[in-house]
């Protein structure tokens, strides 16, 4: 058969392969059918091109064929995450590594008990160490999977050791603001160490950094799901044991819950690695859902603020609340970026994102002015300084993001610029978190 | 005269099983045979045939394998199973019942009533 018609078959094949309802074997079967038609038509006297066109026409519309295949194979439209069954050796080794790391994380939280430090009575000792019981194991698992070079392993070891020093060497009193500030920021700082392990095969690559963003979103979703399942497990365990006169409270509160919470971080990481490209990412779906809702909520707040005329009552909880709000907005932006087709033209959703970011910026400026006012009036504290820093960082990120999204919407800036900005900015968040953990306590005299 | 889509769909299974009961075959050849036997009156599409073959395979009535017969491309051949033969017998019994009943209802040629008042 001529090269021209072979090219046409190849083009048709590529086109048909894009249908999710059709498997490669189905495409091959349909192609065999098409070739049969072409041969018959050519034998009847048609030219190659004519035969091909007539044969394709006779086959009917691809939509129709896909629909019929989908009716018979509807299960193909639900992608399955298969955790058991015949697996390559590497997958089994991954499973073993996961179990080892999860067990390590679970047992780590019991180590302080060997030194007489009890969860119930010494909460202030556990609080800053929370992330240290599990994130080193998650980082170890990821570094192992990527066969991280020694220099990365060395950096990871130093970073986690530094985290341990920050959590335990500073004389922070139980009532200290710095204790809370450090406890909040250390997990964030250590998460970026996990990120280093994640991108250890190519630390400078913007693509790998965006992959880490995707990993973070999915990890969080899976962790929450495991936590909910864990809640059900605890409820049934307590209920059934109580029914037979056994009081499981000690076991549940001292072993099942704390160890489970630590192990879950590693399990969630393993699940995200296992599901990659098998199951659709959930975080971007949630982003699509909540971006409009948050935009409305933020605009409503701004309108209410304008109508009431009063300022924002700046207290610790309120500062934290607004910082978290801005983090959520950044998250919504980031996960949209992580799932967006770089070549797609700007659409309604991009405009919606611009509205969201601009609303967040307006709120950020208001909060910033309030915090600055309070610091001028009453002096600075660890909380206010941390809140101020966070607002400035988020202001810079969202401000430039707004500019880039505006450029995207007006078709003057390529989407890649927005992606590059966000991946390049990740070290800023990491740097700030470490600054708060390492520098704030001594600067503020450990109060 | 074209056969309605519903009737084509209803008669599809016994036709495919009947053709495969004679010899193993593949999609294109099956379609060709049906076209010949119906004198071109039954219009089947690939969208009907291949999912049907897959369904019959799922139900265990046929089995398939890819073959390379000398001089041919690799093709997916279908072969009827004992379960398929049993299903075919059942289908045949049902269709014969329907056909016999219709013949009883239609004893002679259909006459079209002449128009009423001129």
């Amino acid at each position: 058969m001529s090269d021209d018609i072979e090219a046409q078959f190849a083009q048709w094949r590529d086109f048909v392969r894009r249908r999710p309802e059709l498997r490669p074997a189905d495409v091959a079967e349909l192609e065999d059918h098409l070739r049969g038609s072409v041969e018959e038509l050519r034998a009847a006297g048609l030219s190659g091109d004519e035969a091909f066109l007539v044969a394709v026409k006779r086959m009917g519309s691809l939509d129709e064929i896909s629909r019929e295949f989908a009716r018979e194979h509807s299960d193909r439209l639900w992608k399955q995450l298969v955790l058991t069954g015949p697996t390559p050796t590497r997958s089994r080794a991954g499973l073993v590594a996961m179990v080892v790391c999860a067990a390590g994380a679970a047992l780590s939280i019991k180590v302080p008990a060997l030194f007489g430090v009890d969860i119930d009575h010494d909460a202030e000792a556990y609080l800053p160490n929370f992330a240290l019981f599990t994130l080193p194991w998650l980082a170890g698992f990821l570094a192992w999977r990527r066969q991280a070079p020694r220099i990365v392993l060395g950096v990871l070891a130093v970073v986690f050791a530094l985290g341990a020093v920050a959590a335990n060497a500073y004389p922070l009193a139980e009532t200290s603001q710095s204790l809370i500030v450090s406890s909040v920021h250390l997990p964030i700082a250590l998460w970026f160490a996990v990120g280093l392990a994640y991108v250890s095969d190519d630390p400078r690559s913007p693509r790998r950094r965006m992959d880490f963003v995707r990993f973070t979103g999915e990890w969080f979703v899976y962790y929450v799901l495991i936590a909910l399942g864990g809640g059900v497990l605890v409820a049934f365990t307590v209920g059934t044991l109580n029914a037979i006169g056994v009081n499981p409270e000690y076991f549940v509160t001292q072993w099942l819950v704390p160890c489970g919470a630590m192990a879950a971080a590693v399990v969630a990481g393993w699940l995200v690695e296992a599901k990659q490209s098998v199951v659709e990412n959930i975080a971007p779906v949630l982003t699509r859902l909540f971006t409009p809702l948050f935009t409305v909520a933020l605009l409503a707040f701004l309108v209410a603020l304008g109508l009431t005329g009063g300022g924002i009552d700046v207290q610790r909880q309120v500062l934290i609340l607004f910082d978290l709000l801005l983090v959520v907005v950044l998250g919504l932006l980031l996960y949209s970026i992580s799932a967006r087709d770089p070549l797609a033209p700007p659409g309604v959703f991009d405009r919606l994102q611009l509205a969201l970011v601009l609303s967040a910026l307006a709120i950020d400026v208001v909060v910033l002015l309030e915090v600055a006012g309070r610091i001028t009036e009453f002096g600075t504290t660890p909380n206010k300084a941390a809140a101020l820093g966070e607002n400035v960082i988020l202001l810079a990120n969202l401000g430039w993001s707004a500019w880039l999204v505006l450029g995207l919407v007006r078709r003057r800036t390529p989407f890649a610029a927005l992606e590059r900005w966000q991946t390049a900015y990740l070290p800023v968040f990491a740097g700030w978190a470490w600054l708060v953990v390492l520098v704030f306590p001594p600067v503020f005299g450990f109060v | 005269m074209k056969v309605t889509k519903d009737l084509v769909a209803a008669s599809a299974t016994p036709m495919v099983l009947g053709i495969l009961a004679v010899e193993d075959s593949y999609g294109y050849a099956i379609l060709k045979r049906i076209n010949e036997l119906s004198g071109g009156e039954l219009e089947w599409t690939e969208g009907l045939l291949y999912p049907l073959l897959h369904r019959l395979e799922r139900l265990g009535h046929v089995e398939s394998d890819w073959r390379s017969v000398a001089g041919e491309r690799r093709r997916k051949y279908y072969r009827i199973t004992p379960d398929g033969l049993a299903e075919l017998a059942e289908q045949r019994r049902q269709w014969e019942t329907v056909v016999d009943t219709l013949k009883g209802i239609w004893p002679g040629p259909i006459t079209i009533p002449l128009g009423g008042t001129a």
Side-chain angles (χ1 to χ4, degrees):
Chain A
M1 212 173 290
S2 71
D3 286 343
D4 280 349
I5 204 166
E6 283 304 318
Q8 282 178 289
F9 275 117
Q11 192 174 329
W12 175 87
R13 195 164 53 235
D14 287 344
F15 179 64
V16 174
R17 271 181 190 154
R18 291 183 218 154
R19 294 294 176 143
E21 302 91 343
L22 301 175
R23 291 270 173 84
D26 301 328
V27 177
E29 194 170 16
L30 288 173
E31 182 182 343
D32 174 53
H33 193 109
L34 188 63
R35 287 179 182 272
S37 292
V38 168
E39 283 162 10
E40 186 172 331
L41 290 166
R42 294 207 64 179
L46 270 63
S47 73
D49 284 355
E50 289 167 344
F52 184 84
L53 287 176
V54 173
V56 168
K57 177 78 173 181
R58 278 187 184 175
M59 187 165 271
S61 98
L62 186 60
D63 286 338
E64 188 181 309
I65 293 179
S66 292
R67 193 160 44 245
E68 294 296 337
F69 269 87
R71 287 172 64 187
E72 173 55 25
H73 299 291
S74 59
D75 56 294
R76 290 177 182 174
L77 300 178
W78 298 79
K79 295 176 180 176
Q80 305 290 344
L81 172 58
V82 181
L83 297 178
T84 57
T87 56
T89 305
R90 186 69 185 173
S91 280
R92 255 198 306 277
L95 178 60
V96 172
M98 182 278 285
V99 171
V100 169
C101 290
L107 294 177
S108 291
I109 198 170
K110 300 307 291 180
V111 168
L114 298 178
F115 301 93
V117 182
D118 183 63
I119 291 180
D120 290 335
H121 302 109
D122 304 295
E124 76 278 358
Y126 273 81
L127 194 58
N129 282 283
F130 199 84
L132 283 163
F133 296 128
T134 187
L135 294 188
W137 293 98
L138 178 56
F141 173 70
L142 294 171
W144 170 83
R145 269 180 64 88
R146 282 149 183 68
Q147 294 165 0
R150 287 182 192 280
I151 186 168
V152 172
L153 294 179
V155 171
L156 286 172
V158 169
V159 166
F160 279 109
L162 204 57
V165 167
N168 297 288
Y170 287 150
L172 303 182
E174 197 168 328
T175 56
S176 160
Q177 270 192 22
S178 291
L179 178 65
I180 304 296
V181 171
S182 283
S183 298
V184 168
H185 285 81
L186 184 56
I188 297 171
L190 293 178
W191 186 254
F192 282 99
V194 170
L196 177 59
Y198 186 91
V199 303
S200 57
D201 45 351
D202 193 357
R204 290 182 216 285
S205 163
R207 178 184 52 81
R208 293 298 286 143
R209 291 182 181 188
M210 186 54 75
D211 281 344
F212 176 61
V213 169
R214 296 183 179 104
F215 172 88
T216 298
E218 298 308 294
W219 177 88
F220 180 78
V221 170
Y222 276 86
Y223 190 85
V224 170
L225 290 174
I226 293 172
L228 292 172
V232 174
L233 175 66
V234 168
F236 275 98
T237 300
V238 171
T240 53
L241 289 179
N242 279 338
I244 60 174
V246 174
N247 182 0
E249 183 179 344
Y250 181 83
F251 167 73
V252 168
T253 60
Q254 300 296 315
W255 285 91
L256 184 58
V257 170
C259 294
M262 297 302 102
V266 176
V267 174
W270 171 70
L271 282 174
V272 177
E273 290 284 277
K275 81 147 196 86
Q276 205 172 79
S277 88
V278 172
V279 178
E280 302 295 343
N281 283 352
I282 298 171
V285 176
L286 296 177
T287 295
R288 282 263 154 177
L289 183 65
F290 282 103
T291 291
L293 299 177
F294 266 88
T295 303
V296 170
L298 296 196
L299 290 173
F301 169 80
L302 288 171
V303 170
L305 184 65
L307 292 178
T308 59
I312 297 173
D313 183 9
V314 178
Q315 298 167 32
R316 175 189 304 185
Q317 295 81 6
V318 175
L319 285 182
I320 293 175
L321 178 70
F322 278 102
D323 276 352
L324 287 179
L325 176 63
L326 295 174
V327 170
V328 168
V329 169
L330 177 62
L332 291 172
L333 178 63
L334 209 46
Y335 285 97
S336 295
I337 292 171
S338 74
R340 194 184 190 281
D341 177 359
L343 301 181
V348 173
F349 193 76
D350 296 302
R351 288 179 173 78
L352 198 54
Q353 284 217 291
L354 181 57
L356 175 71
V357 172
L358 290 175
S359 309
L361 272 175
I363 294 175
D364 195 352
V365 169
V366 172
V367 174
L368 200 57
L369 293 176
E370 289 287 345
V371 175
R374 289 305 173 112
I375 288 179
T376 303
E377 184 177 353
F378 297 109
T380 190
T381 65
N383 275 333
K384 291 199 187 78
L388 183 66
E390 259 117 63
N391 269 275
V392 170
I393 287 171
L394 291 166
L395 182 69
N397 182 296
L398 293 176
W400 192 243
S401 295
W403 181 252
L404 294 176
V405 175
L406 178 63
L408 174 66
V409 165
R410 297 162 76 188
R411 297 170 189 262
R412 296 182 185 178
T413 306
F415 172 75
L418 186 57
E419 195 170 20
R420 270 198 315 271
W421 165 247
Q422 290 297 345
T423 52
Y425 206 86
L426 291 179
V428 175
F429 295 123
W432 173 252
W434 279 106
L435 186 74
V436 171
V437 168
L438 295 177
V439 177
F440 268 43
V443 163
F444 288 99
F446 304 110
V447 298
Chain B
M1 188 265 290
K2 296 301 177 186
V3 179
T4 65
K5 191 169 182 176
D6 288 341
L7 192 50
V8 167
S11 60
T13 294
M15 287 192 185
V16 169
L17 289 177
I19 289 173
L20 292 179
V22 174
E23 68 177 341
D24 298 355
S25 189
Y26 53 97
Y28 186 74
I30 292 172
L31 221 59
K32 205 170 161 188
R33 182 101 176 106
I34 290 171
N35 191 63
E36 286 166 3
L37 291 173
S38 70
E41 300 282 7
L42 287 180
E43 267 190 357
W44 278 38
T45 64
E46 294 74 6
L48 169 62
L49 174 64
Y50 287 104
L52 171 61
L53 287 168
H54 293 182
R55 184 175 320 121
L56 292 174
E57 184 169 15
R58 174 167 59 80
L59 294 171
H61 298 336
V62 304
E63 295 170 329
S64 70
D65 63 284
W66 288 85
R67 302 179 193 172
S68 293
V69 181
E72 288 182 355
R73 289 182 299 277
R74 253 171 61 85
R75 283 199 169 113
K76 192 177 188 184
Y77 273 78
Y78 292 89
R79 172 181 56 261
I80 196 167
T81 63
D83 282 349
L85 288 171
E87 175 65 18
L88 174 58
E90 174 61 20
Q91 289 269 341
R92 181 164 184 166
R93 190 187 64 75
Q94 291 182 24
W95 276 92
E96 283 175 347
T97 298
V98 171
V99 171
D100 288 348
T101 303
L102 285 171
K103 284 178 176 175
I105 293 171
W106 302 330
I110 297 175
T111 58
I112 303 172
L114 296 174
T117 309

